[in-house]
Structures are given as C-alpha cells and as structure tokens.
Amino acid sequence: MARKLKICNLRIGQSFIKPFSIEGYHFEPTSIPKKQSVITHKTIARDQRRHQVTATGIIPQKQSNSILYSGGEIRIESFGGVVRRRKRKFIEDLLLILSILTGNNVCLHSHRYNREFPVITENHLDCVSSLDLLSSDLLKAVNKVKDRQWQREFHNGFHLRMLFNNANILNLEGRFLSNMVLWELLYVMIKMKESFNHREIVAELLSHFWPNLRNSNIFSRGSYSLLTILRNQLAHSGKLPIDRERADPWMTQLSFEAVKEYILLFNQMTQAMVLQTLSIDATSRNAAFQIALMAFLRTGQVAYFHS
C-alpha cells in the first residue's frame, strides 16, 4: 500500500505547488492555517527557521534506492533517543533536486530529528522554477540522473549534493570558497583531468557553459580574473576587500559591497552551471542575472560598478 509522507518547505515563493506525479510519486499541496499578523523583521526571521509542512508526497510501495546518495544510509533519531538506520531512497533525490530548483530546503518532516535536518527553511539558491515549470524541470533532471552515462560522467551527481550543501553555508565567504571547490570538481568531471591552476579552471568552465559569450581575451588560461583573485584572497588571507599584489588596480579599489556583488553573481553562475548539467537553462529566467552575467563574460567586470 502506498504511503503518504509530510514534506516541508515545498513551495514556489509563498505559493503552494500544483499537484504533479513523477516516477510513481505524487506530490500535492497541503493547507497551513493562516494567522493574521503584521510582517516585521522578527516574523521574517522566525519564518526562515520554522519548517512548515506545505505538501504531501505519496510514495510507491517499493522505492528504488537513491542514486545521488548511492550506497548511503540515513540515521534517524526519534524524540526518545531511539536510533534507526535505513538506506537512502529515491524520494531524497527528488527532494534534493526540488531544493535546487526552488531555493528552499525541501525535506521530509519525518527527518526532523536527524542531525542533517536543515537549520533554515530557505537556502542561498535562486528559485529558478515557476509553478508551471516545476514538474517539467524535475522530469528533465530525473531523466538525466537516471541515465547511466550521466552517472558515470558526473559521479552519480555528487555535484548536486555539493551545491545543496554549499547553499546552506550561512557565511558568504565560506560559501564562495566551497563553490570554487565545486568548480574544481566540475572541471574534473567535464575535462576528465585535474588542474591546480584556478585561472585555467575558470576559463575552461566559462568557455564550456557559455561558449558564445565568453571574451577569450579576458578569460584565458594565462590571465588573472577577479574570481581567481578573490579565491586566492580568501583562501590565503581570509579577508576582504582585495589587497593581493597581482590584482589589477580596479580590483583593489572595490569596496566590500562591490566585492559582495561579484560573489553573489558567482553563486548564481555556479547554480546555473549545475542546472545545465541537468539540461535546464536557468540563465534566461532571471533578467537581472542574465544582464550581469553577459556583462561579466564580456568585460570581466560587473557593469553596475563600472558603468
């Protein structure tokens, strides 16, 4: 008999999802009692930490094992301290992909006593799916994840897990460095070789994912981009703004707020690259991101600060 599970934080913005089915699973929205209250900084902070059951998932009687967490187990602790272990199932793959698509930490309510249960309800990713596109985006992603060639190329989708984990790092600088490690992994997956040259990694990945937009005169293997300078600055000095000797003068003149814009753009680029590996083009869905990305790929700078 199929089971019905409670799912936390599955929504688009503040809107409930539309019912959809995929791979024998069925998702449908559930209702939350609405309280009439004035929205303040206090209520916003509370809602970011209060996990709400926004949907239910009807799962098949027999589930497949997880692909993204291949071979993994989950440790479930009940309120009374009883510990159970079980193999991770495909439902967790679906919820992880939904988390990347919606910018929310979509998770099973039954895992709330697990130590890996998210601290906050929203992660630091953009919501790239609309209510109408969510089910079709999920289907595209699932078709890739289940493809054996894709599994071999992308190590069973380990980069998806990395992106999700990085998106839950609350510290801006730590999130940037972790995403840079994700770029290193993507380079290995796509180029099938390792490199310790971050200039090469950045140039090659930009050329791979946006071949018609990258300015080869700026992003070449032998040139320093702001991204590599930022990586070296944080990894070796641990502080901002930039004061590296090899940075161009305009880079050292950036304020912390200006540097922050570059880091936020880098995070968006990382999400867009990961989604491209799932055949989802998220670049055109956010006009502001698309404009900033095109300017960066052509000039190496964020146009807002150098117009």
Side-chain angles (χ1 to χ4, degrees), residues 172 240 255-266 305:
L172 181 75
L240 295 173
S255 66
F256 175 78
E257 288 302 317
V259 169
K260 181 179 177 181
E261 291 296 322
Y262 282 92
I263 293 178
L264 292 176
L265 176 63
F266 177 76
F305 294 103

Side-chain angles (χ1 to χ4, degrees), residues 3 5 7 21-27 58-60 62-72 74 86-98 108 111 138-147 150-151 156 160:
R3 289 187 298 157
L5 300 177
I7 299 176
S21 299
I22 184 171
E23 295 290 322
Y25 297 85
H26 180 72
F27 297 90
I58 300 175
I59 64 175
K62 187 176 181 180
Q63 288 195 83
S64 301
N65 291 330
S66 168
I67 295 172
L68 300 180
Y69 297 96
S70 181
I74 190 165
R86 67 161 181 78
K87 290 183 178 180
R88 307 192 82 143
K89 299 297 182 180
F90 194 66
I91 181 67
E92 296 186 63
D93 295 7
L94 297 177
L95 299 185
L96 176 61
I97 297 170
L98 287 168
L108 293 172
H111 288 184
L138 182 60
L139 179 60
K140 288 181 183 178
V142 167
N143 287 338
K144 281 293 184 181
V145 169
K146 294 186 68 178
D147 182 78
W150 186 92
Q151 292 171 19
N156 287 331
L160 303 184

Side-chain angles (χ1 to χ4, degrees), residues 19-22 130-140:
F20 66 90
S21 299
I22 184 171
S130 65
L131 288 172
D132 295 327
L133 291 176
L134 183 62
S135 60
S136 60
D137 283 346
L138 182 60
L139 179 60
K140 288 181 183 178

Side-chain angles (χ1 to χ4, degrees), residues 182-225:
L182 175 51
W183 281 50
E184 296 175 22
L185 177 65
L186 281 172
Y187 181 86
V188 172
M189 291 173 168
I190 293 170
K191 297 297 181 179
M192 294 183 290
K193 63 179 181 179
E194 290 191 10
S195 174
F196 298 102
N197 186 331
H198 289 91
R199 292 175 291 174
E200 178 181 5
I201 291 171
V202 169
E204 292 290 337
L205 287 182
L206 293 180
S207 179
H208 177 82
F209 287 102
W210 294 287
N212 298 323
L213 295 177
R214 190 203 70 161
N215 186 333
S216 58
N217 293 326
I218 296 173
F219 295 103
S220 63
R221 295 182 181 183
S223 64
Y224 279 95
S225 70

Side-chain angles (χ1 to χ4, degrees), residues 139-167:
L139 179 60
K140 288 181 183 178
V142 167
N143 287 338
K144 281 293 184 181
V145 169
K146 294 186 68 178
D147 182 78
R148 293 296 180 87
Q149 182 177 347
W150 186 92
Q151 292 171 19
R152 289 191 294 270
E153 181 180 1
F154 291 102
H155 305 181
N156 287 331
F158 188 76
H159 62 309
L160 303 184
R161 292 167 56 184
M162 285 186 68
L163 179 66
F164 174 74
N165 290 336
N166 295 351

Side-chain angles (χ1 to χ4, degrees), residues 252-290:
T252 62
Q253 294 167 10
L254 293 173
S255 66
F256 175 78
E257 288 302 317
V259 169
K260 181 179 177 181
E261 291 296 322
Y262 282 92
I263 293 178
L264 292 176
L265 176 63
F266 177 76
N267 291 342
Q268 290 178 304
M269 291 166 61
T270 305
Q271 181 183 9
M273 285 163 50
V274 170
L275 287 172
Q276 278 199 45
T277 69
L278 296 172
S279 295
I280 298 172
D281 181 10
T283 304
S284 60
R285 298 184 184 183
N286 182 331
F289 167 57
Q290 186 176 28

